[in-house]
Amino acid sequence: MQGDMMSWLVPLVAMLAAGLFAGFAAGIFGIGGGFVVVPALFVVLPLLGGTHDAVAHVAIGTSAATIIVTSIRSLLAHAKRGAVEFEVLKAWAPWIILGDGIGVLLAGHVDGRILTMIFAVGVFLMSLNFLLPKVGGKVISDEMPSGIARVGIAGGLGTFSALLGIGGGTIAIMVMTLCGRSIHRAIATASGIGTLIAIPSAIGFALIGLKESGLPWGSLGYVNVPATLAIASMSILTAPLGVAAAHSLPAALLKRVFGVYLVIIAFVMLRNAIKMP
């Protein structure tokens, strides 16, 4: 009896802790929390059973589901400070959702090891924007992309984010800062982009995984319900704290801290991919 209790206690505590950290990260960095949730789920989900390949897909899908709650909570907190550019969200929404659908379909045909490697490499490349001043400090335009450029960037953002189980905040922040927006306004607006990406992603991953076998206990397709509830419930508490921290920290320091965090996550996930059988 005690052994059974401990087998449930460890993953529960880990998921609750991941939710607290994800909420804070979502608020302070404008991300959906996927960069926190996905690595945590790679550790926790095997404790609930399931094959290695299934765990990779469930980690991505579950992350998308938690981002729905985390990003909405973060968005509302940023909106109270008047920092969200809702015009950008409206203009980008159709193309983000279209790209999102493509990304979910692609993810269903990619094995777990490749999916993990894509996550690791993508995260590392994103970190360079925040760690290299000559890259992250450039402003190439005073206007946000429009026309074909908007379609390509927003659609690509949706596709890439769906593949990684992230809210797309990092890419959105890169684009907005390159277009002259402050890091604080970029982070605030990116919270809304996370919502646009997460809802269709979570639905898509749940549907494409319905007939799959070897899933961890409690999974609805590629979305693990217990993990989603545990992580989301905690992220609601800490997202406003992250928002407050984001608006109080200097922009340069905020960029460096985020960049270092992304490098660490990239190497952890790459190691996980290499160890997969």
Side-chain angles (χ1 to χ4, degrees):
M1 182 69 177
Q2 186 175 1
D4 292 339
M5 185 178 296
M6 288 302 297
S7 67
W8 282 101
L9 183 60
V10 172
L12 177 61
V13 170
M15 288 186 287
L16 293 174
L20 290 172
F21 190 20
F24 188 80
I28 194 171
F29 296 132
I31 61 175
F35 289 134
V36 176
V37 173
V38 173
L41 289 174
F42 265 85
V43 176
V44 173
L45 287 175
L47 300 177
L48 302 180
T51 64
H52 286 284
D53 190 61
V55 163
H57 287 81
V58 174
I60 301 293
T62 303
S63 173
T66 65
I67 289 171
I68 296 174
V69 176
T70 306
S71 59
I72 290 176
R73 186 70 178 94
S74 181
L75 175 66
L76 294 175
H78 279 294
K80 287 182 179 179
R81 296 172 180 265
V84 180
E85 296 193 15
F86 285 100
E87 297 80 10
V88 173
L89 296 180
K90 291 176 183 177
W92 284 42
W95 312 113
I96 288 176
I97 294 172
L98 177 62
D100 206 26
I102 295 172
V104 170
L105 292 176
L106 288 175
H109 298 284
V110 178
D111 69 45
R113 179 193 290 268
I114 299 299
L115 202 57
T116 309
M117 287 185 172
I118 291 174
F119 185 94
V121 173
V123 170
F124 179 74
L125 292 176
M126 290 178 196
S127 73
L128 300 180
N129 179 69
F130 298 94
L131 291 175
L132 302 179
K134 291 184 178 180
V135 177
K138 287 184 177 180
V139 175
I140 61 175
S141 173
D142 292 330
E143 300 292 333
M144 290 293 289
S146 59
I148 297 299
R150 176 192 295 163
V151 173
I153 294 173
L157 168 63
T159 301
F160 190 64
S161 299
L163 273 173
L164 300 187
I166 61 175
T170 308
I171 303 172
I173 293 168
M174 288 169 57
V175 173
M176 292 189 71
T177 52
L178 287 172
C179 292
R181 272 32 176 210
S182 71
I183 183 67
H184 298 94
R185 291 190 71 82
I187 285 174
T189 307
S191 300
I193 288 176
T195 307
L196 293 174
I197 289 171
I199 294 174
S201 283
I203 294 172
F205 272 99
L207 291 176
I208 66 173
L210 284 177
K211 295 182 180 180
E212 296 298 321
S213 58
L215 300 176
W217 178 88
S219 295
L220 176 64
Y222 286 138
V223 174
N224 188 267
V225 177
T228 299
L229 294 176
I231 293 170
S233 64
M234 292 295 100
S235 68
I236 291 174
L237 302 177
T238 52
L241 300 178
V243 170
H247 286 275
S248 63
L249 288 175
L253 176 60
L254 198 56
K255 287 182 178 180
R256 300 296 176 271
V257 171
F258 191 32
V260 171
Y261 169 73
L262 292 181
V263 170
I264 294 171
I265 291 301
F267 279 102
V268 169
M269 298 306 293
L270 184 60
R271 186 181 66 178
N272 286 341
I274 293 173
K275 287 184 175 181
M276 281 185 178

